[in-house]
Amino acid sequence: MTRGDVAAIGECMVELSPRPGGLYGLGFGGDTLNTSIYLARLGVAVDYLTALGDDPFSQDMLSAWAAEGVGTGAVRRKPGRLPGLYLIQTDGAGERRFHYWRDQAPARELFADSGSPDLSGYRWIYLSGISLSLYGEAGRKRLYGALDAARAAGARVAFDLNYRPRGWPSASAAAEAVDAMLSRCDLAMPSLDDASALYGISEAGDLLRRFRSLGPEEVVLKQGPAAAMLAWGETVVEVPATAVAAVVDTTAAGDSFNAGYLAARLAGASAMDAASAGHRLAASVIGFPGAIIPRAAMPAAP
Ligand code: ADP
């Protein structure tokens, strides 16, 4: 069966962010969801695979995703449950701190024993290290089994490291899970910062080699304002980032880069052209506050 182009796996949470006067605004956010929204805006048929409750906040999320063109047919609903929540606190210097209530979120049970989602029929499956951190060891085993089956049937797997230490019991537990993930991954899209933090390697060339040695045929190493490094086969190339005069908020820079890259690859672009497309979208995204920019601010197709 052929389904959408991409299945994105992860968690979206309710977001409370500060407003003037000590108030908080209600929104929602999650790394893989950000990528899904940008993929949909770029014309890619994407399904978001997660689990929510049957409460009004879950319903609002579903409606918002559907309005963005993200496929919600594969979302599971757990009666009586609530989605995870995080609150953003900004200190006097503008530094943001995140506080989470997410341990009981239904998204964490997506790969619990009652039956993993069916990943067959998608061209690409996209997930991140944050997705991996949700499921625990037993759940990850089921996820890996589902990925292996999908790859055997022709799907490809793209993975952004998005290493967040607080989601893991230890760095070594994270590295073990990520290594197992990379062995069933076709395209790895880590950022230099995350990869250095996880593996304790700061040199980009060494990191590319490390990632390649674990399995992925194609590796894209994002380096903030510096060029992204791409490696496949024996080739290593650099693709300069788009210059941004005034960076407003780097939230979702990597998530949007990934969407631009994947959408271009799906449309048949070379890895280098795909990286340029990723940079272009990320450059627009960091010029606005928040993860999701107005539709009118999306870069024009080249
Ligand atoms: P992440 O957001 O996942 O930590 P990076 O910080 O490496 O990843 O940024 C991802 C992408 O966002 C970069 O490859 C680049 O395209 C874009 N980007 C991030 N910061 C800047 C910047 N200051 N100027 C231009 N582009 C940037």
Side-chain angles (χ1 to χ4, degrees), residues 201-299:
I201 301 172
S202 55
E203 209 275 313
D206 293 341
L207 278 170
L208 283 177
R209 271 186 290 282
R210 159 113 213 198
F211 276 89
R212 287 296 310 284
S213 73
L214 291 167
E217 166 56 27
E218 192 169 316
V219 179
V220 184
L221 188 66
K222 294 164 283 181
Q223 307 192 83
M229 290 183 72
L230 314 187
W232 70 93
E234 298 301 311
T235 308
V236 177
V237 291
E238 293 193 4
V239 179
T242 307
V244 177
V247 175
V248 174
D249 178 0
T250 58
T251 302
D255 304 335
S256 55
F257 176 98
N258 296 347
Y261 190 95
L262 256 187
R265 287 302 258 153
L266 271 158
S270 69
M272 290 180 72
D273 287 347
S276 296
H279 283 316
R280 267 198 307 279
L281 178 54
S284 297
V285 168
I286 65 180
F288 287 84
I292 306 297
I293 61 175
R295 263 172 192 278
M298 292 290 288

Side-chain angles (χ1 to χ4, degrees), residues 29-52:
D31 64 334
T32 46
L33 193 265
N34 296 337
T35 303
S36 300
I37 288 176
Y38 286 118
L39 281 170
R41 287 188 180 186
L42 294 169
V44 173
V46 53
D47 283 343
Y48 197 53
L49 271 57
T50 191
L52 293 170

